[in-house]
Amino acid sequence: MNTSSTTASLRDGTPFISEYQASERARVISNVDYQLTFFLSEQSQFRAISTVNFELNGTAKNLTLDLNQANIISMIVNGSKIYPKYNGSYITLSPSLLQSGQNTIAIEFTREHSTNGEGLHRFVDPVDGKVYLYSHFEPAAAQQMFAVFDQPDLKASFQLNVHAPKDWQVISAMRESSISAQGNDNVWVFPASPKLSPYNFSLHAGPYHMWQDNSGPYPMRLFSRQSVTEQVTPQDWFTYTKQGLYFFDRYFGIPYPFKKYDQVLVPDFLYGAMENAAAITFSEDRFLFNAKMTASQKERLAGVIMHEMAHQWFGDLVTMKWWNGLWLNESFAAFMGTLATAEATEFTHAWRTFYASGKQRAYELDSLVTTHPIEVPVATTQNAFDNIDAITYQKGASTLNQLSHLLGKETFRQGVKQYLTEFSYQNAQLDDFIGSLAKASNRDLSQWTQEWLYKAGVNSIKAEYTCANGMISDFQLVQRAVSDEFPTLREQKVKIGLFYQRQHGVEEHQTAVVTYKGARTNVSELVGAYCPDLVYPNLDDWGFVKVDLDQRSMNTAKQALNKVHDPLLRSMLWQSMWDSVLDGQAPLNDFINVALINAPLEQDYTILGQVISNLLRAKEMLDLMAPANKQYADKVSRALSQMSLRMTMEHHKNSDFQRRWFSAYVSLSTQSDPLKHLQQLLTGTTKVKGLVLDQDLRWDIIRQLNRFDYGNAYALLQREKMTDTSDSGEKAALAAEVIRPQAHLKRQWLNTIEHSQAMPFSKLRVAMFNLYPAEQNLLSAATAEQRLANLIELDKKGPVFMRSYTQALIPRACSIDNITMIDQVLNTETGLSKLTRRALLETRQNEYRCINIKQLVKPQ
């Protein structure tokens, strides 16, 4: 008898299951299907009957069935009514009750609805009191709604019956086969689904408003709460959805695997969206607006629709075996979502947006001490999301993009098609995916896989060249590891561009496509070219690599930025200048000075968003550095707010540009004159030509006025709160109240965040992210020790709570004293979760970086 494996297969009483325990369960369980009956109402509880059919192969010792925090009414195993051995997390199944071959377990139970965005979440609309339900199961929360073997490699079909009020819609993976009246309810009957992993199944119910469109290749529906229908533009949703369905059918060469395409806008959602099979959920907070959508908002909508649609094939049709494969799902969807947005919609610049936003976050994370390989072990379902970040999404997507260039785009597509065809309705692993690509390309990808997927860290490249008599005499690409701790050098295919300053702009003269590896790669084809003014060694952004500009190129970028006509190159040069600040190679002043000159000249909407985002980060850094650089910070604040207002006024004929500049003006207004102007705009005593203050902008202004407790800000908050009673209005009012710079208020809210059992998590999260803005560093310092001391106890609240808490409330102060406090926690609190420990390590490293940046700031 192997006692170690027996011990390992015993669960610990929590809802979480280890990879080993899941593999042991999958070894003996097969051919699972669920018959689920739910009795839904407006009450805080629901009743359900879970019938689980499965085949048992071999011994059933230590077999468990997941069911979280339920009140079990009855349990029948293979026809015998039994008293369950239940600990609130799972039921332990006695081997004597089971048989080799077919088994059936039926459990009737009641359970409270969830209010934290997991399981079967319940939401009461504050406008009309209507109740809405929706499910969210990833990574392992299906057990909060029914009895289930809650792991991705036990795929099953789901047959669903739902009793619900007559004015409700019920939405799931399949379209209902019948709806019949039964007393005060309707009974919805759904046919059995194709085989799905539990986390891909879903159920949403409530008096949702429905739009339909049958103009595409598959029936499309869109749902939202009734009180927000005026904020929904169904035509945009259906247009992008239809474009995506046509694109993916062609790209994959496999028809969409489900019979209909439903999308549901839901409140209090933890994430941006979720790829439930044929019933995708989207966060209202991200996709509902009180005015006409801006270009960036439309692009984000299109991009997320495409991302979740890619998952219908890659994630739902073919699913990872265990959570270490989640990165491949998300990386692939991020890659395909961007590709589809660029090629199937009007947002042909989608790859530039990808570069300027998520990819930069991936570079930052990959440069930290807490970086990790793309493919990492996942010990238990509790750890499934520990490493779900920009490395998983955007670095992974960039890696796949690089691989498509390395292999050839059509070869890559054929490999993907091969993979999806071979593993349809099954589970697969990384080796299966890489094997399909290797077969399609007739290339051994084992070394590539080791370098890119199993080794952490990011590299940089720099062009080193010499010129003689105006011509290049030697040209090399120099690759280095950004961190000595992660020394792997990688093979990559990139395009090098040589540029020259001319009277009308910076013009490209010559390019070279190079596959480089190792520390140095000779580029002989550029020898003999005219000596360039600017070299960019990752033109068109094929590679995942940080670019270290040579000094001549950096000088050209600073002097002639607005004369660079290629928008992607211009975006990358802006980024190089910002990176030089973050890497301690140039003072923050340099970037701010370049931005004050060039940002007003920027005619590209996407790049403008990138520049403003970095200016807001620069302003936040200066606020954290106070009081050391207060005089300079005030000067910068005044200059940036004046620039933003001027550009808001100049763009009165372009609503997208005007709104982007005005949003910057609101965020950058920290002194009495601009705050007074904002208050006058809010009360209508002054106006800006072309600008319409919709409800979202009104709340933005109220939050900023309360952030600095300017004038009668609190009275304006209370008045607006009476006017806008919507869910988004409640959250905006909460943000404006929490952000007020009052010590007693901060302590009250911190206590609520850490101890409240009654407030919905969605509102606690709003409070977390508004409690301590950067300039309120003295107020933050007053509770910093308390927040750090409480981490060990707060960690028990689990990963959903701690992901937000650690992002928002681990103290930041740009000081050695703060680093010392963090060190104390890291050295003494050895029981912290991996998630919380990682957040502390990242904060500490960012504190050191902030101190370095502060030391380089030149008083002006």
Side-chain angles (χ1 to χ4, degrees):
M1 179 179 177
N2 186 334
T3 56
S4 62
S5 64
T6 302
T7 303
S9 66
L10 291 173
R11 296 178 65 177
D12 61 2
T14 71
F16 308 111
I17 190 170
S18 72
E19 181 179 15
Y20 176 79
Q21 291 157 353
S23 68
E24 284 294 287
R25 187 159 67 176
R27 187 174 58 80
V28 298
I29 295 292
S30 61
N31 294 327
V32 185
D33 72 73
Y34 298 94
Q35 293 170 299
L36 306 172
T37 300
F38 292 93
F39 300 87
L40 305 178
S41 69
E42 295 184 343
Q43 302 306 308
S44 64
Q45 276 195 348
F46 65 91
R47 182 165 66 92
I49 302 170
S50 289
T51 301
V52 189
N53 301 301
F54 62 95
E55 287 187 17
L56 183 63
N57 313 300
T59 176
K61 195 170 185 178
N62 300 327
L63 186 63
T64 57
L65 182 66
D66 306 306
L67 181 62
N68 186 268
Q69 300 301 315
N71 300 301
I72 296 177
I73 299 169
S74 70
M75 179 171 172
I76 299 172
V77 180
N78 293 329
S80 299
K81 190 169 184 178
I82 67 158
Y83 186 80
K85 186 179 180 182
Y86 180 52
N87 64 2
S89 295
Y90 49 83
I91 299 161
T92 302
L93 300 170
S94 171
S96 63
L97 297 170
L98 302 174
Q99 57 201 22
S100 183
Q102 189 66 34
N103 290 267
T104 298
I105 300 174
I107 302 172
E108 183 176 1
F109 63 93
T110 61
R111 192 192 191 279
E112 290 290 321
H113 283 287
S114 302
T115 57
N116 71 341
E118 291 192 314
L120 189 57
H121 180 92
R122 177 177 181 267
F123 176 84
V124 181
D125 193 324
V127 174
D128 54 22
K130 294 183 185 296
V131 173
Y132 293 88
L133 312 176
Y134 65 86
S135 70
H136 180 83
F137 296 155
E138 190 180 32
Q143 59 188 279
Q144 296 183 33
M145 191 171 134
F146 54 93
V148 57
F149 299 116
D150 208 350
Q151 59 190 74
D153 60 340
L154 283 177
K155 284 196 165 189
S157 64
F158 297 80
Q159 193 278 313
L160 182 63
N161 305 302
V162 181
H163 298 246
K166 288 185 176 177
D167 63 337
W168 280 24
Q169 296 283 347
V170 181
I171 306 131
S172 189
M174 304 294 288
R175 281 287 286 268
E176 69 279 1
S177 52
S178 68
I179 307 172
S180 59
Q182 191 176 103
N184 294 323
D185 288 343
N186 280 337
V187 180
W188 296 65
V189 178
F190 295 82
S193 71
K195 282 192 175 295
L196 298 170
S197 291
Y199 84 93
N200 292 138
F201 178 69
S202 66
L203 167 63
H204 322 295
Y208 287 99
H209 183 83
M210 178 178 67
W211 295 269
Q212 298 186 76
D213 188 318
N214 294 315
S215 63
Y218 310 97
M220 299 179 290
R221 298 188 301 179
L222 176 66
F223 298 86
S224 79
R225 288 187 290 129
Q226 292 184 27
S227 66
V228 298
T229 55
E230 290 186 3
Q231 295 172 252
V232 181
T233 54
Q235 193 52 53
D236 290 326
W237 286 77
F238 289 136
T239 296
Y240 302 140
T241 302
K242 183 163 56 175
Q243 289 170 337
L245 287 167
Y246 280 123
F247 175 84
F248 285 119
D249 269 3
R250 288 193 306 270
Y251 186 91
F252 294 133
I254 298 170
Y256 170 64
F258 307 108
K259 295 180 183 298
K260 48 86 177 180
Y261 204 91
D262 290 342
Q263 296 172 111
V264 191
L265 275 156
V266 296
D268 290 357
F269 204 56
L270 289 171
Y271 311 102
M274 175 61 200
E275 67 268 19
N276 315 302
I280 299 92
T281 40
F282 290 80
S283 167
E284 287 184 353
D285 291 344
R286 306 264 186 104
F287 301 106
L288 281 185
F289 309 101
N290 285 297
K292 178 184 174 183
M293 276 195 289
T294 64
S296 62
Q297 289 165 346
K298 280 191 172 188
E299 183 182 358
R300 184 171 60 194
L301 173 61
V304 176
I305 286 174
M306 299 303 174
H307 178 107
E308 304 306 330
M309 192 179 291
H311 273 309
Q312 303 299 303
W313 284 264
F314 208 107
D316 295 2
L317 177 65
V318 180
T319 313
M320 77 248 153
K321 185 176 181 181
W322 182 244
W323 295 105
N324 61 315
L326 182 57
W327 78 266
L328 184 56
N329 278 7
E330 297 302 347
S331 295
F332 189 83
F335 166 70
M336 287 304 307
T338 308
L339 182 69
T341 305
E343 296 192 7
T345 76
E346 71 263 36
F347 305 109
T348 54
H349 58 274
W351 283 110
R352 287 203 286 116
T353 304
F354 175 85
Y355 168 82
S357 52
K359 192 170 185 179
Q360 297 311 315
R361 178 63 179 152
Y363 283 139
E364 282 194 40
L365 287 183
D366 213 16
S367 303
L368 295 175
V369 292
T370 52
T371 188
H372 55 84
I374 294 175
E375 168 90 7
V376 291
V378 174
T380 76
T381 47
Q382 183 177 18
N383 305 114
F385 283 175
D386 281 357
N387 292 308
I388 294 302
D389 54 24
I391 293 175
T392 306
Y393 280 71
Q394 284 83 13
K395 180 182 179 180
S398 302
T399 300
L400 294 176
N401 188 35
Q402 165 61 202
L403 188 56
S404 77
H405 284 290
L406 201 62
L407 303 182
K409 293 183 179 181
E410 181 55 25
T411 300
F412 181 85
R413 189 187 74 81
Q414 287 296 332
V416 169
K417 179 183 177 182
Q418 210 167 290
Y419 170 77
L420 292 174
T421 301
E422 182 176 354
F423 296 100
S424 287
Y425 302 106
Q426 299 175 61
N427 296 89
Q429 301 181 79
L430 174 61
D431 286 349
D432 299 317
F433 178 68
I434 295 297
S436 294
L437 294 176
K439 186 177 178 181
S441 63
N442 194 28
R443 173 175 169 156
D444 181 357
L445 292 175
S446 56
Q447 182 65 28
W448 183 92
T449 302
Q450 282 298 317
E451 289 178 359
W452 281 102
L453 306 182
Y454 290 106
K455 301 291 186 182
V458 63
N459 304 116
S460 70
I461 53 171
K462 183 176 185 178
E464 285 193 0
Y465 57 96
T466 54
C467 295
N469 300 318
M471 301 290 202
I472 294 175
S473 56
D474 178 69
F475 194 108
Q476 295 186 347
L477 273 185
V478 179
Q479 179 182 197
R480 69 176 184 89
V482 169
S483 167
D484 293 339
E485 291 183 60
F486 306 102
T488 302
L489 300 181
R490 299 171 173 87
E491 177 186 8
Q492 230 175 147
K493 187 177 185 179
V494 295
K495 187 194 293 186
I496 303 169
L498 307 185
F499 294 85
Y500 303 85
Q501 284 202 68
R502 299 288 184 258
Q503 184 178 354
H504 300 294
V506 177
E507 299 175 1
E508 178 187 304
H509 176 72
Q510 189 169 341
T511 62
V513 174
V514 178
T515 299
Y516 69 85
K517 61 175 76 172
R520 286 184 175 269
T521 302
N522 283 311
V523 187
S524 57
E525 54 262 57
L526 292 179
V527 173
Y530 289 111
C531 195
D533 296 308
L534 185 151
V535 178
Y536 201 83
N538 187 24
L539 194 62
D540 295 338
D541 196 34
W542 290 4
F544 183 82
V545 62
K546 296 190 74 170
V547 170
D548 186 6
L549 286 181
D550 65 274
Q551 192 58 54
R552 181 183 174 94
S553 297
M554 178 63 84
N555 291 340
T556 301
K558 289 179 180 178
Q559 295 162 8
L561 188 60
N562 65 314
K563 294 181 179 178
V564 176
H565 301 310
D566 176 353
L568 178 54
L569 177 61
R570 196 162 70 251
S571 174
M572 292 190 289
L573 294 176
W574 271 109
Q575 191 61 43
S576 289
M577 285 183 280
W578 177 246
D579 286 344
S580 69
V581 174
L582 298 182
D583 296 339
Q585 297 171 355
L588 185 59
N589 315 62
D590 283 9
F591 180 82
I592 291 171
N593 292 340
V594 170
L596 285 168
I597 294 168
N598 288 279
L601 303 174
E602 186 54 68
Q603 297 300 307
D604 184 272
Y605 180 71
T606 302
I607 297 175
L608 179 61
Q610 172 190 359
V611 176
I612 288 174
S613 175
N614 286 334
L615 281 172
L616 290 170
R617 288 186 65 188
K619 176 66 171 61
E620 182 180 43
M621 285 180 186
L622 287 172
D623 288 337
L624 278 174
M625 294 171 189
N629 295 292
K630 188 175 188 315
Q631 188 174 357
Y632 176 61
D634 289 344
K635 181 180 177 182
V636 168
S637 180
R638 190 160 45 250
L640 292 177
S641 65
Q642 288 172 353
M643 174 183 72
S644 302
L645 177 58
R646 185 176 79 251
M647 298 313 297
T648 298
M649 293 174 169
E650 286 187 16
H651 284 287
H652 60 87
K653 292 182 179 179
N654 186 318
S655 61
D656 284 327
F657 269 81
Q658 185 177 55
R659 190 175 182 109
R660 179 151 273 177
W661 274 114
F662 184 72
S663 293
Y665 176 56
V666 174
S667 298
L668 292 164
S669 293
T670 63
Q671 296 170 327
S672 59
D673 285 348
L675 290 169
K676 179 180 179 181
H677 182 233
L678 287 177
Q679 183 169 292
Q680 290 171 337
L681 287 170
L682 190 71
T683 56
T685 56
T686 190
K687 292 184 178 181
V688 172
K689 185 177 180 181
L691 183 69
V692 177
L693 287 188
D694 58 67
Q695 189 62 68
D696 293 335
L697 285 180
R698 291 183 65 82
W699 277 121
D700 287 347
I701 293 172
I702 287 170
R703 177 180 176 275
Q704 192 72 0
L705 293 174
N706 278 275
R707 179 173 180 167
F708 294 93
D709 196 13
Y710 180 81
N712 62 338
Y714 190 68
L716 292 170
L717 162 58
Q718 295 303 317
R719 192 181 310 160
E720 203 74 20
K721 195 174 176 180
M722 298 284 288
T723 303
D724 182 8
T725 58
S726 67
D727 176 58
S728 61
E730 285 186 352
K731 289 171 180 168
L734 176 62
E737 181 173 336
V738 170
I739 209 168
R740 291 177 59 76
Q742 297 169 353
H744 71 281
L745 183 74
K746 301 296 183 185
R747 290 189 179 276
Q748 287 173 3
W749 273 109
L750 183 60
N751 184 65
T752 299
I753 289 165
E754 293 184 345
H755 302 293
S756 174
Q757 301 294 321
M759 182 172 282
F761 178 68
S762 60
K763 291 183 177 175
L764 290 177
R765 188 168 55 174
V766 170
M768 289 180 199
F769 283 99
N770 287 277
L771 193 58
Y772 293 115
E775 78 283 348
Q776 293 179 13
N777 43 19
L778 292 178
L779 291 170
S780 176
T783 64
E785 287 189 40
Q786 173 190 338
R787 278 138 58 200
L788 289 170
N790 289 350
L791 282 177
I792 194 76
E793 193 62 32
L794 292 171
D795 231 357
K796 297 174 184 176
K797 290 177 176 284
V800 170
F801 180 90
M802 289 307 290
R803 268 195 299 274
S804 293
Y805 189 92
T806 54
Q807 286 177 42
L809 291 177
I810 289 181
R812 298 176 305 146
C814 202
S815 73
I816 292 295
D817 287 345
N818 196 51
I819 291 171
T820 301
M821 286 198 301
I822 292 172
D823 280 340
Q824 176 71 12
V825 178
L826 286 168
N827 293 335
T828 59
E829 300 292 1
T830 56
L832 290 171
S833 68
K834 182 179 177 183
L835 182 155
T836 301
R837 190 168 187 83
R838 174 180 170 177
L840 286 164
L841 289 167
E842 290 179 355
T843 303
R844 182 176 68 179
Q845 187 172 354
N846 284 324
E847 286 285 282
Y848 276 118
R849 182 170 70 178
C850 186
I851 290 169
N852 290 337
I853 293 171
K854 177 165 65 173
Q855 290 171 344
L856 289 176
V857 172
K858 300 173 183 174
Q860 292 185 1

